[in-house]
Amino acid sequence: MSIECLEHKSKMRLPVSFYLLSVWLGFLCVIIVFLWSGTWRGGFAWDGSFLQFNWHPVLMVTSLVVLYGNAIVLYRVPLTWSRWWCKLAHAGLLFMAVVLAVVGLCAAFDFHSANNIPHLYSLHSWTGISTVALFTLQWFVGLCAFLLPWTPLAIRARLKPLHIWMGMAIFILSLITSLSGINEKLLLTLNGRNGSNTEPYTALPAEALLANSLGVLVVVFGLVVLKILSNPKWKNPEFENETDRPLLTDAR
């Protein structure tokens, strides 16, 4: 390969600094949601109290936003690994996200049951349960279609465009659900009820500033991830064709 071709290929790859920006923003999201639940909301427990519910925002932001977002941009990262290992890393991160999301849902449902609060009454809960259900289905279909070696290559090629579109759609739903959850949490807690002695949300106390900042970071992180995914110049051509060779040969 000529020097000109190598230079052209390097220009077509995702800049490492841009990818590190997405990682850094995701890390900040996790840190801030931990601070919010651990400092202003009193910490964590698993006893049906408000402390148990504090796990919910931490686990959902970590799984559906940060882990999910980093998993779906792996195919753009300019690393010298094979398609097989990239698929394993992609599936592994998404599996971790599924597990954490399910635990986060359990924290919310257990809290509601222990305190006689109705389940699935809000728009946030509707979008949240739909997002987790679609995410779980997407992961299972992706496992069967793209990791199992006996799946026909023609089926992989047909499913890939839908798999990519659904992945982006689920990520956008995750962002929407997270933002609505942050706002709903603030409206329900910063109101002088439920034992809260803090200023109301409308007074914009320190907790509200922190949580609003978390929402802004979630939006910025989502925009960076979507930018990475939407730029066709940053696609790795070695990962684009699902019919060029059997999956097992990629592991050699």
Side-chain angles (χ1 to χ4, degrees):
M1 183 178 293
S2 65
I3 296 177
E4 291 79 5
C5 290
L6 289 173
E7 291 178 349
H8 177 72
K9 185 175 182 180
S10 64
K11 291 179 181 178
M12 300 291 284
R13 289 191 168 188
L14 167 68
V16 175
S17 59
F18 205 81
Y19 172 68
L20 291 179
L21 173 63
S22 70
V23 174
W24 179 72
L25 289 170
F27 181 74
L28 277 182
C29 288
V30 174
I31 293 298
I32 290 179
V33 74
F34 259 105
L35 286 175
W36 182 22
S37 293
T39 302
W40 274 273
R41 291 293 101 207
F44 305 95
W46 200 276
D47 54 5
S49 68
F50 284 96
L51 299 183
Q52 175 171 336
F53 188 84
N54 286 344
W55 282 112
H56 179 71
V58 170
L59 293 173
M60 303 315 280
V61 169
T62 301
S63 61
L64 292 181
V65 176
V66 178
L67 283 178
Y68 192 99
N70 280 282
I72 61 179
V73 300
L74 276 181
Y75 289 99
R76 303 292 195 272
V77 181
L79 296 176
T80 56
W81 55 2
S82 68
R83 186 173 60 182
W84 166 257
W85 290 111
C86 188
K87 285 185 176 184
L88 284 181
H90 176 75
L93 282 176
L94 291 178
F95 179 73
M96 290 172 56
V98 169
V99 172
L100 292 181
V102 170
V103 176
L105 285 181
C106 290
F109 276 95
D110 286 352
F111 166 75
H112 280 217
S113 297
N115 293 274
N116 296 318
I117 300 174
H119 297 296
L120 301 176
Y121 66 88
S122 66
L123 178 60
H124 166 69
S125 63
W126 288 13
T127 58
I129 201 71
S130 300
T131 301
V132 174
L134 288 173
F135 179 20
T136 305
L137 178 63
Q138 168 88 340
W139 185 86
F140 180 76
V141 172
L143 173 69
C144 295
F146 301 107
L147 278 180
L148 297 183
W150 52 79
T151 304
L153 297 177
I155 292 179
R156 289 184 193 160
R158 285 183 173 273
L159 285 179
K160 186 175 181 179
L162 178 61
H163 184 73
I164 294 173
W165 181 85
M166 280 295 298
M168 293 182 65
I170 292 169
F171 181 65
I172 293 172
L173 283 174
S174 299
L175 298 175
I176 294 171
T177 301
S178 295
L179 294 177
S180 65
I182 292 169
N183 194 57
E184 181 179 293
K185 177 71 172 177
L186 288 171
L187 290 173
L188 290 175
T189 55
L190 299 184
N191 58 10
R193 300 194 299 270
N194 299 325
S196 175
N197 296 317
T198 61
E199 296 179 84
Y201 188 18
T202 53
L204 204 62
E207 180 180 353
L209 286 173
L210 182 75
N212 285 352
S213 299
L214 171 62
V216 172
L217 276 176
V218 166
V219 171
V220 175
F221 173 76
L223 292 176
V224 171
V225 169
L226 292 174
K227 172 61 178 177
I228 293 173
L229 294 176
S230 62
N231 192 334
K233 295 182 179 179
W234 293 343
K235 290 183 177 180
N236 191 333
E238 297 177 3
F239 295 160
E240 289 303 303
N241 192 353
E242 286 291 338
T243 61
D244 58 347
R245 54 184 176 177
L247 180 61
L248 290 180
T249 63
D250 295 347
R252 294 177 183 174

